Amino acid sequence: MEYDEIIVGAGSAGAVLAARLSEDPDRTVLLLEAGPDYASIEEMPDDLLKPWVSWADHDWGFEAEAAPGRTIKLHRGKVVGGSSAVNGTIALRGVPGDFQAWVDQGNDEWSWEKVLPAYRRLESDPEGGDFHGTNGPIPIERPEPAEWQPIQRAFHEACLALGYADVVDHNLPDATGVGSWPRNREHGNRVSTNMGYLVPNRGRLNLTIRAECLVNRVIVEDGVAVGVEVESGGELQEVRGKRITLSAGALVSPAILLRSGIGPAEKLEPHGIGQVLDLPGVGENLVDHFSVGVQAVPKEGTPHDVSVVTEVGLRYTAEGSDQFNDMQLAVSTIFDREQVRGLTDHPRRSGATFGVGAVVQRTRSRGRLTLRSADPHEQPQLDMHYATDAEDMRRLIEGARLSWRVMHGPEMAPFVEEIIAPSAEVIASDELLAEYIRATTSTTWHVTGTCRMGPADDVLAVVDQYGQVRGIAGLHVADASIMPDIVSCNTNLTSIMIGERVAEWQRDGTG
Ligand SMILES: Cc1cc2nc3c(=O)[nH]c(=O)nc-3n(C[C@H](O)[C@H](O)[C@H](O)COP(=O)(O)OP(=O)(O)OC[C@H]3O[C@@H](n4cnc5c(N)ncnc54)[C@H](O)[C@@H]3O)c2cc1C
């Protein structure tokens, strides 16, 4: 049989695409997912329902080189719902300037005015008004200030004392300052794209969801994608489709292209893969948000609910930067290590800690993905090149000092037993602080950009702005990998928005 649509990966973007395309009963949709499937909320294990309960049970186990010789864990969700099923549920939108940068790179279908309706369509946000949707599949919650944990409240007060504005809704386009993180949750439970988009539509006869199916490569005949090779039930099989869309995320969509012979010869030849199309950008432009933190041990008896890690955040513009809200600062508390056992890259691995950390948002440092072998079970090589750009480093140094000021302010004093790292000597010196950042900076799990979109004259563009792979008919990519530039926020809502936007074009035949 031949499906109308084969979608590879049921994550933030893929699940959305499958749900939207199968709204048309005459279109057959096959959604292939490498991880397991939980078809109802009753079947959902705790780690998928509770934000910040360990995600270790549904993880790909990727490792990356933060810098040459320094390996970190880079979690990605391996389950229907993808990383949206394991993530921290911070539900932020990019700012209008992020999308202007996409337009400036030749992608005029992604202006703020054009992405806003898709951001609105995906959500159900009680804030309402001109900027919010109120009946979309993903419910948004904001913890009320009265509910905040004492350390979170102290962080909020410290930011106000430093002159930052009090923000009620971080998702208004011109909001900047400190306030409750909006969350994709309902009654405290995480709402993934599986729960929001697929669970209500599983009765559709034209939508087939197949879990535990590992896609190896795309089958291309005479320049046209006609199907995929899949490992299912221990056997390698082929399935045919009129259109193939890769939504396997920024660490796997480019790897599938490379295994299919689509990419530069230097990335294919060492693994004996014959070249089908020379696309130099596949796996380049690997961009992430990375952080630096000031860590402390809390005073004995500090009141704390162990299910809370972060509730309040600051979005701000770095001194001297022309990019609005290009930095984030937040406090995170880890009082129970067993609960967050996926979080292994922490300076102190036993006992309760909390920290204030800064994260660069419009990151300039660029990493690279290459294959280690043609075997789909083997992980790709991920060279992150964190903080290799001077402006990223400058903003992180400033962010580390701001975190230090917050941690040493009178608001935090009742909770700080001891600052573990960095030392006052390190904070005082640009050189030592840069060294500390190079030695400790790590992922916030927002990998993007490895199949970036762009116009025909952009040599590193892998897809056009509709997600169509350049030079291969019938093959598309729709996930975080197509972002040409990372957005100034956590990347889940924007990945869902990408699924919504690409579905529009695929449904009406534009894409
Ligand atoms: C631990 C963690 C915390 C995070 N916290 C936040 C947060 O609080 N807020 C926020 O906005 N963002 C957060 N993110 C980031 C956000 O979740 C991602 O940016 C987003 O989910 C990416 O969507 P995607 O569709 O590109 O990929 P994914 O959602 O990762 O989907 C890819 C899917 O493809 C499947 N797949 C991969 N390879 C294959 C294959 N070969 N065959 C078949 N299926 C395959 C995967 O199993 C997965 O289901 C977090 C991410 C992680 C991992």
Side-chain angles (χ1 to χ4, degrees), residues 8-14 32-35 55 60 75-79 81-84 86-92 213-215 247-250 252 256 259 444-447 479-481 490-493 495:
V8 177
S12 296
L32 294 170
E33 166 59 42
W55 46 78
W60 278 86
H75 303 289
R76 304 319 290 160
K78 188 176 186 181
V79 61
S83 299
S84 84
V86 300
N87 71 16
T89 71
I90 294 173
L92 290 172
C213 285
L214 180 75
V215 172
S247 298
V252 186
I256 294 175
R259 292 199 294 265
T444 57
W445 312 290
H446 298 162
V447 282
D479 57 24
S481 72
N490 311 46
T491 44
N492 188 38
L493 281 199
S495 305

Side-chain angles (χ1 to χ4, degrees), residues 51-52 87-93 140-141 170-171 180-185 190 309-313 315 328 330-331 445-446 489-494:
W52 302 114
N87 71 16
T89 71
I90 294 173
L92 290 172
R93 295 171 173 178
I140 305 291
E141 276 184 352
H170 270 306
N171 277 334
S180 252
W181 288 135
R183 313 299 282 256
N184 47 293
R185 296 191 315 204
R190 179 192 285 109
V309 169
T310 178
E311 289 177 304
V312 179
R315 294 178 93 178
Q328 263 185 23
V331 60
W445 312 290
H446 298 162
C489 62
N490 311 46
T491 44
N492 188 38
L493 281 199
T494 304

Side-chain angles (χ1 to χ4, degrees), residues 196-218:
Y197 281 85
L198 295 178
V199 168
N201 297 310
R202 282 171 180 266
R204 288 181 187 158
L205 295 176
N206 61 329
L207 172 61
T208 306
I209 303 171
R210 293 298 302 262
E212 313 209 4
C213 285
L214 180 75
V215 172
N216 177 24
R217 64 180 187 99
V218 180

Side-chain angles (χ1 to χ4, degrees), residues 64-68 286 366-370 381-386:
E65 303 278 298
L286 172 56
R366 296 287 183 263
R368 181 160 207 253
L369 175 150
T370 46
Q381 170 75 31
L382 304 171
D383 295 303
M384 306 309 289
H385 301 166
Y386 287 148

Side-chain angles (χ1 to χ4, degrees), residues 346-367:
H346 201 275
R348 212 173 127 126
R349 294 180 184 203
S350 61
T353 58
F354 73 105
V356 172
V359 187
V360 182
Q361 299 296 297
R362 287 285 291 281
T363 325
R364 300 183 185 197
S365 305
R366 296 287 183 263

Side-chain angles (χ1 to χ4, degrees), residues 106-137:
N107 306 295
D108 62 353
E109 288 292 349
W110 295 86
S111 64
W112 170 250
E113 292 68 26
K114 289 184 175 175
V115 301
L116 181 59
Y119 269 135
R120 293 190 55 184
R121 190 160 64 242
L122 70 85
E123 70 175 5
S124 182
D125 187 329
E127 285 293 315
D130 289 346
F131 289 103
H132 286 296
T134 50
N135 56 6

Side-chain angles (χ1 to χ4, degrees), residues 124-320:
S124 182
D125 187 329
E127 285 293 315
D130 289 346
F131 289 103
H132 286 296
T134 50
N135 56 6
I138 302 291
I140 305 291
E141 276 184 352
R142 291 173 184 75
E144 291 294 328
E147 300 165 24
W148 292 342
Q149 296 297 300
I151 291 180
Q152 305 284 332
R153 186 183 316 284
F155 174 78
H156 183 254
E157 284 165 11
C159 291
L160 295 183
L162 287 169
Y164 295 103
D166 192 9
V167 166
V168 174
D169 180 4
H170 270 306
N171 277 334
L172 294 181
D174 54 358
T176 185
V178 62
S180 252
W181 288 135
R183 313 299 282 256
N184 47 293
R185 296 191 315 204
E186 193 164 43
H187 312 305
N189 288 332
R190 179 192 285 109
V191 179
S192 65
T193 52
N194 176 23
M195 289 169 67
Y197 281 85
L198 295 178
V199 168
N201 297 310
R202 282 171 180 266
R204 288 181 187 158
L205 295 176
N206 61 329
L207 172 61
T208 306
I209 303 171
R210 293 298 302 262
E212 313 209 4
C213 285
L214 180 75
V215 172
N216 177 24
R217 64 180 187 99
V218 180
I219 303 160
V220 180
E221 291 173 1
D222 301 325
V224 181
V226 295
V228 291
E229 190 180 82
V230 192
E231 198 180 286
S232 172
E235 271 179 48
L236 208 53
Q237 306 177 38
E238 288 186 8
V239 58
R240 297 221 149 204
K242 292 192 181 117
R243 173 163 44 209
I244 316 297
T245 303
L246 303 182
S247 298
L251 302 186
V252 186
S253 289
I256 294 175
L257 288 178
L258 292 172
R259 292 199 294 265
S260 313
I262 300 166
E266 48 135 345
K267 289 188 179 177
L268 308 176
E269 278 168 5
H271 312 296
I273 302 169
Q275 192 178 52
V276 171
L277 181 75
D278 182 13
L279 266 189
V282 179
E284 299 301 305
N285 196 45
L286 172 56
V287 191
D288 194 2
H289 291 144
F290 43 87
S291 62
V292 59
V294 173
Q295 296 296 331
V297 175
K299 280 202 169 119
E300 192 74 35
T302 296
H304 184 60
D305 172 351
V306 292
S307 69
V308 172
V309 169
T310 178
E311 289 177 304
V312 179
L314 170 69
R315 294 178 93 178
Y316 72 100
T317 305
E319 202 80 53

